[in-house]
Every structure is written in C-alpha cells, then in structure tokens.
Amino acid sequence: MPRSDEAAAFFHAVYSAVCEVPYGKVTTYGHIAALVGTPQRPRQVGVCLKHLPSDPASRFNHDTVPWQRVINSKGIISPRSQPDGTLNQAEALRAEGVQVTRSAMGELSVDFEEYGWFPAMLPSEAAEQPEEAET
C-alpha cells in the first residue's frame, strides 16, 4: 500500500535526521521525533526504522541510514521482532567504538553520558540559521 504524502514526508524527515547522528554516538527515538517537530511520535520513529528499505536503489536504506544509532530513552537497545535484531544492532554499534553492556536482566545498553547525542536542533538546520549581526 503506498504511503500518503504526509507519511512519506515523515519517513523522509526521520531518515534524514538519523543520517545526522554522528559516528560513534547514539540518540533516542524520542529525540529524533523532537528534532523533526513531532515530539509526541517516538514510536512512529521506531516504525520508520523498522520499515527502512533494504533495496540499495532506495535513497534511504539499511546501508545509508545509520539505524543502529537510535535506541530507547532508557539507553537500552529495544527488542526486535527478528531473532538476532538486538544483537545485530549491538554489533553495529560496537563496530563504531560504542561500548554496549549487558545487564543482569540481559538487556543491552549504552551509556548516554559517554555516547549520547542530543543537540537542540539538527546540525543541518543550525547551518541554515542566519548569523546574528555583530554590533
């Protein structure tokens, strides 16, 4: 089923924002939602990443969008529907130098103090802001 124009715009905004998360850093679904102007939609950010195309012909795909850099607000890698999804995300983060630890409950987590990325606005938007006139 084709996406509505609004849904397509949201997916594009989410994928574009995730592409700005720096190598070796992580952020949250909620922070991406806030950065794209919809702070009430963190779960929809997760849906966008879940439906990230694998087709290399797509502008946004598993190879061009660093999906692994988005985790939940507790610093935990969210469980996936596919059997090894959580482990795959942990391995992708470790390949970037991010330390992923396993809790006593078996949850895989990342320390936001060391690896968190939470700017007030996307770097691409900050670059578009006009500089204030010097007095």
Side-chain angles (χ1 to χ4, degrees):
M1 181 164 136
R3 294 184 185 136
S4 69
D5 289 345
E6 180 183 355
F10 182 72
F11 273 67
H12 185 276
V14 167
Y15 295 154
S16 295
V18 172
C19 285
E20 294 194 46
V21 179
Y23 184 91
K25 295 292 182 181
V26 297
T27 195
T28 66
Y29 300 102
H31 193 69
I32 294 294
L35 288 172
V36 301
T38 57
Q40 71 282 12
R41 297 177 73 183
R43 287 187 179 168
Q44 286 78 9
V45 169
V47 168
C48 290
L49 295 175
K50 178 180 179 179
H51 293 287
L52 187 61
S54 56
D55 180 6
S58 296
R59 175 180 178 192
F60 297 113
N61 62 59
H62 280 279
D63 294 327
T64 61
V65 177
W67 56 271
Q68 71 274 10
R69 298 178 190 158
V70 185
I71 62 177
N72 74 27
S73 61
K74 295 177 182 176
I76 297 170
I77 296 174
S78 297
R80 301 280 183 282
S81 55
Q82 64 269 29
D84 292 327
T86 305
L87 295 174
N88 291 341
Q89 186 170 5
E91 285 308 309
L93 288 170
R94 287 180 179 126
E96 295 186 12
V98 175
Q99 183 178 10
V100 179
T101 58
R102 185 179 293 276
S103 73
M105 300 296 291
E107 297 171 324
L108 296 168
S109 64
V110 175
D111 181 5
F112 284 142
E113 289 292 319
E114 187 169 353
Y115 301 104
W117 183 78
F118 300 100
M121 70 173 53
L122 289 167
S124 61
E125 291 176 351
E128 293 172 5
Q129 295 290 318
E131 292 188 34
E132 293 183 27
E134 294 184 28
T135 54

